[in-house]
Amino acid sequence: MKASIQNLIGNTPIVKLRRLAGGGAAEVYVKLEYLNPTGSHKDRIAYYMIRDAEEKGLIKPGDTIVEASSGNTAISVAWISSLLGYKAEIFVEKGTSQVKIELMKALGAKVVEAEEGSYAETARRYAEENGYLFLNQYENEANVRAHYETTGPEIYRQLGGRINAFIMGIGTGGTISGVGRFLREKLGERVRIVGVVPRGSRIVGGGAAERIEGLASDIVPGIWRRYSYVVDEVIEVGFDEALQTMKTLLRDEGILGGLSTGANVYAAMRVAEKLTKGVVATIAPDTILRYPHLL
């Protein structure tokens, strides 16, 4: 029996696409991270970042934790904070899913909507002025370590080390950096690490990106600057391509992933077609149930 609910973070299942990935392409596997307790892979990094701050003596129960997030990290931070006895104040971009915002509030977090592109800086300044801890998922090394120590090893074990390519959307850059580093150490150049961004993202030098919630459009995270060397290629995906793939996954594969899942799988299928054989792995970071308006 599990001792506490946070022990349920991780060890999510991985499934093979049966209908979308056709003949003449590599097998595509999707790790269902929306089966984490709050419905996204961000439970992993929230737990790691808060525990890391505790170990460094930066916080103690009763203190206030500040984070900037488009939603999933915020929900995970609010959840872990409530379990461990902290107060959470979350700064989100305008246009963030209302379902996410209401869930943060239900978990006891204070939510502040800030201007797009400035919300992380606004959160940092606010935390500094009030003497609070700013987790800063876009820079925090514990974000990368969470995926290096948990997600990467899980995928490697679940697929028996048979991985020719790993595909992942770049939001903070933590998942692709952590998983990518682990797989590269295990498999060397046999594995290709491919990032996914919205079409026009600043990460690829664009200036007017399409918006895919959870993926970096108008910022270049510090984690990405430090670890971009891990990634072999970055694929741009449009909103409509992500949306249609998300709906097809829901209908044909029974996978209830959100919009970034659609982007990941769209890119994974393109890579699988080029490889023609082998194994391509990707992630369903969160659930469509957070974005009912997209249906």
Side-chain angles (χ1 to χ4, degrees):
M1 181 179 291
K2 299 285 187 179
S4 60
I5 193 166
Q6 56 260 45
N7 288 338
L8 297 175
I9 298 171
N11 293 309
T12 54
I14 195 165
V15 295
K16 179 182 176 180
L17 295 186
R18 300 289 179 180
R19 300 174 71 180
L20 263 69
E27 297 175 356
V28 177
Y29 287 82
V30 183
K31 188 165 173 62
L32 307 183
E33 284 290 285
Y34 60 75
L35 294 178
N36 277 299
T38 76
S40 88
H41 69 321
K42 297 297 188 179
D43 286 350
R44 297 179 188 261
I45 74 166
Y47 185 75
Y48 261 68
M49 291 191 300
I50 291 174
R51 283 303 195 196
D52 179 67
E54 286 180 331
E55 289 168 8
K56 291 175 178 174
L58 300 176
I59 52 172
K60 61 184 184 303
D63 287 349
T64 296
I65 293 171
V66 175
E67 183 55 299
S69 167
S70 62
N72 285 327
T73 300
I75 290 166
S76 298
V77 167
W79 177 66
I80 291 291
S81 295
S82 68
L83 290 175
L84 300 182
Y86 297 99
K87 300 169 187 173
E89 297 197 20
I90 309 296
F91 286 74
V92 302
E93 295 176 283
K94 286 190 180 299
T96 295
S97 162
Q98 196 61 34
V99 174
K100 288 182 179 180
I101 290 174
E102 294 307 319
L103 183 50
M104 292 174 219
K105 291 178 179 178
L107 286 165
K110 177 182 175 181
V111 181
V112 179
E113 286 192 72
E115 293 300 325
E116 190 172 349
S118 66
Y119 72 118
E121 178 58 24
T122 303
R124 184 198 63 76
R125 213 165 41 242
Y126 173 80
E128 192 175 89
E129 290 169 357
N130 290 277
Y132 298 150
L133 173 70
F134 178 37
L135 285 177
N136 195 1
Q137 60 173 328
Y138 299 97
E139 300 279 352
N140 198 316
E141 193 64 26
N143 177 349
V144 180
R145 187 158 51 86
H147 295 294
Y148 177 82
E149 294 182 359
T150 69
T151 319
E154 287 172 29
I155 293 171
Y156 182 81
R157 183 176 65 251
Q158 288 170 319
L159 296 177
R162 297 185 312 113
I163 307 165
N164 298 94
F166 173 67
I167 319 299
M168 181 62 199
I170 302 168
T172 65
T175 310
I176 196 165
S177 300
V179 175
R181 274 181 58 213
F182 179 85
L183 295 180
R184 183 76 77 214
E185 288 174 10
K186 285 289 187 180
L187 300 170
E189 297 304 315
R190 287 176 291 165
V191 64
R192 187 165 183 78
I193 309 300
V194 180
V196 180
V197 296
R199 184 168 291 117
S201 169
R202 277 191 61 194
I203 283 178
V204 290
E210 298 184 35
R211 178 174 167 80
I212 297 176
E213 195 165 329
L215 301 187
S217 55
D218 58 355
I219 63 170
V220 181
I223 288 175
W224 172 253
R225 294 182 191 276
R226 296 199 301 273
Y227 288 101
S228 59
Y229 70 89
V230 174
V231 178
D232 298 299
E233 177 189 4
V234 176
I235 294 176
E236 295 179 75
V237 176
F239 176 87
D240 289 340
E241 293 162 338
L243 180 65
Q244 291 310 312
T245 306
M246 178 196 77
K247 291 182 177 181
T248 303
L249 278 170
L250 179 64
R251 183 178 61 247
D252 292 352
E253 300 282 354
I255 293 176
L256 279 70
L259 194 61
S260 62
T261 301
N264 285 349
V265 172
Y266 179 86
M269 291 193 299
R270 301 291 80 76
V271 172
E273 288 167 1
K274 289 180 181 179
L275 287 177
T276 70
K277 62 180 180 179
V279 172
V280 174
T282 190
I283 283 175
D286 69 2
T287 170
I288 183 57
L289 300 179
R290 291 225 167 115
Y291 314 94
H293 60 287
L294 294 177
L295 294 174

